[in-house]
Amino acid sequence: MERRTLFVDVLLPLHLPDTYTYRVPFEYNDAIEVGQRVVVQFGTKRMYSALVRRIHENVPQYRTKYVLSILDINPIVTEQQFLFWEWMASYYMCYPGDVMAVAMPSAFRLSSESYIVIHPDFDGEYGSLSEDEIKIIDVLSHKGKLEIGEVSDIIGYQKIMPLIKSMIERHIILMDEELKQRFTPHRTAYLSLAERYRDEEQLKILFDSLQQKSATYKQLLVLMQFMQLSDFGKKEIKKKILTDNKELSSSALDTLIKKEILLLSQREESRLQEYASQADIDSIKLNDEQQQAFDSIVASDKAVHLLHGVTSSGKTEVYIRLIDKTIKEGKQALFLLPEIALTAQIINRLRKYFGNAVGVYHSRFNTNERAEVWQRTMDSSDNGYKVLLGARSAVFLPFHNLGLVIVDEEHDNSYKQNDPAPRYNGRDSAIYLAHSCHAKTVLGSATPSVESYFNATNGKYGLEVLKHRYGGNMMPEVLCVDMKEAQRKREVQMNFSQFLLGYIKEALSHKEQVILFQNRRGFSLRLECDVCHWIPQCKHCDVSLVYHKSTNSLRCHYCGYSIPVPQECPACHSTTLKMRGFGTERIEDDLAIFFPDAHIARMDLDSTSQKKRYIEIINDFEDHKIDILVGTQMVTKGLDFDNVSVVGILSADNLISFPDFRAYERSFQQMTQVSGRAGRRGKEGKVIIQTYQPYHQAIRDAMAGDYESMYKSQIVERRVFKYPPYYKLIDITIKHQDESVVNDAAAKLANMLRQQFASRVMGPEYPSVARIRNMYIKRIMVRFAVGEAIGEGKRIIMHQADQLLNDKSFARVKIVFDVDPQ
């Protein structure tokens, strides 16, 4: 029988525009499948794990390299995933390899280092070797193997590959490419009693022999502890239980294992904690509004539904009932959240009803844990996950039968990935994923994005509204403090109005909790000389440095650059340096002065940098171990606490003064969301907004809880000024270390685009921060009316950018595309 000559097109996790073709060795013909990882050599030195995209018999017009090995028995990526990646690459103007690099858990990607070793057939005859070859063999004979870089150091020049190639062809050395598989199954060591000692007489003899010698006394102690824990040898126990006991000798345990008194075995186990369901779905009683929303979503033929419910209206109960229906139909559900910090509470609620069927996937998991979640998502057996909960990256999981996608807090800009490519929106990508799987999508929010609400009111999405809080709870009373007037009356201490401090004191006296929101981290926003007004700047970015008291340093929030706090002004040598502005760290510090007996905690990027620290803070707040929680936008999103009676927004002006067309919408959303944390269990909460602009419309709308007013004003502006949802935006960022090169490149690209798109092109302009990490930045924006052929427009833009980069003057310019920027 004639053997077929097969070729594969493989996808590499690199910024490359296409797949690459490799030849399949005959011995792999029956084993290779689309979606498997294979090892291929790319370039002259490096090897990569690539994904098989296609298998065919089309002979390329060039000489192909061979697939070196197959890493998986079964495919780990589905055809549905490949199509999703290709859509994402096309829509967000990048390459499928960019998507693969982000989508695949790093544990599934292999790293390689090139080594050479002496060929086993080399006879040791030096007569035919050159001087350089003798040097290499001498070192190899002592070290065993050498990295390619080390060979270059030994012989003193860089172009060593011809020499290496010659030695390989003459069977003097061979290349030993070590591919390191990062994902390793978790194995647990167990101990059991040897069969012969399960006989009482034999066991008694063993104990007697160990007692008679002082040298075996430590072994006796270990054995006695083992017998006690193992129900006198009837069951096995984890070895770790004994090794963790500091009173027992580890060498004595090793001796018992060597003597085969205790038998050691390894068992492959999940790294992920197992849970059992504790409650019946039928215990969830939906009110009339919730039931109507549930029935409408189930009965509707619309693929996407917007569930617009006020804070604490019971959206999660509707989600759980929809998930239950999906599981009973034999399908999977995806539940997306904008922040990892939110997952802790939702996980507990979902696992209460669905137990081990719930899997969690986000960046705080280590690489092996993420790889295991990936595998169990693919598993269609009872052991596989039916519900996947995660942040935006969970859209990349290998679903085998997706039936429902829930995007909670759909308005949140955390769903948008800014770097690296693909710069995708998790909400929009989830909608496309659900559409491609013929699944339903439910978008939930108390403050929907203008785009989603526009689609819902125009009939593209279904719209379900929950107008009342669950259980008849009252919406919080929202009050406003005019800080200008309060300062005139000397009613401001530090950064707190007397009005707010009074409500905090009252809440603490009733053993109630308080949340304070400030959308700036750090202690002080800037340090300023009181004489010449010098402000310390980052040397890599065009921003001022923020003071952090915990490290007593000034730090850049863009690149991480930090310096010690100066003792004097370097410009005028004055020592009167003043702190201006305030962040969460300062609020936490000042509160301790006003309320010394209160337990105060902070939840921001700095305080939650350690793994699981955010879970500890949330759990402590839930358990009433924390009286006052200070935080950035983390505290505004979907958290459910039953004892919060006061919420304070310390500086609303930071929100409404942001230079962005979405500032009004975002400030309304954040103020409304954080207000919704108050009064969620049977008591009316109080929300106090501190501002110097008490009559700003965003603040008046937030105080009234009037989403419709905010939406109507914004939708008119968006239409007039040609912003979403009426127009699609493509943001083009040009970067280079030389400011003049950036200016020239941006001007040339803008002129090239104007020849194609005329008035649709805006810019180039400097952004608000014009230099980050020593790279100067200019931006160009291109607008397309909804309904226009934007796909063709994207192709033209990418082609024009390539044309610019082909100019040697701009060869090192970096161009970044951001579709639907947030």
Side-chain angles (χ1 to χ4, degrees), residues 727-764:
Y727 281 78
K728 289 275 190 181
L729 305 180
I730 299 176
D731 200 7
I732 306 168
T733 302
I734 300 95
K735 301 180 181 181
H736 195 273
Q737 291 182 330
D738 188 321
E739 187 175 11
S740 63
V741 173
V742 165
N743 285 329
D744 292 345
K748 183 172 181 179
L749 181 58
N751 288 333
M752 292 165 69
L753 293 174
R754 281 196 177 91
Q755 292 175 19
Q756 300 288 334
F757 304 115
S759 61
R760 292 194 189 100
V761 180
M762 298 174 62

Side-chain angles (χ1 to χ4, degrees), residues 748-801:
K748 183 172 181 179
L749 181 58
N751 288 333
M752 292 165 69
L753 293 174
R754 281 196 177 91
Q755 292 175 19
Q756 300 288 334
F757 304 115
S759 61
R760 292 194 189 100
V761 180
M762 298 174 62
E765 297 288 346
Y766 286 112
S768 55
V769 180
R771 182 175 62 105
I772 298 176
R773 295 186 177 90
N774 289 325
M775 299 286 278
Y776 289 93
I777 302 167
K778 271 205 160 176
R779 292 172 59 188
I780 300 169
M781 188 172 286
V782 186
R783 295 192 247 228
F784 292 91
V786 170
E788 285 189 271
I790 190 172
E792 179 59 25
K794 289 174 185 175
R795 282 188 286 274
I796 292 171
I797 291 170
M798 293 184 77
H799 175 71
Q800 298 285 29

Side-chain angles (χ1 to χ4, degrees), residues 69 109-110 140 151 178 212 239-240 295 321 346 424 437 501 582 656 691 693 703 706 719 767:
S69 64
R109 300 197 299 268
L110 301 182
L140 276 175
V151 176
E178 292 194 347
Q212 290 171 6
K239 182 184 177 185
K240 190 175 186 295
D295 293 341
R321 291 293 296 271
I346 298 294
Y424 68 101
C437 296
L501 289 172
F582 61 98
I656 57 182
T691 177
Q693 305 175 69
M703 290 178 66
D706 193 345
R719 183 170 56 243

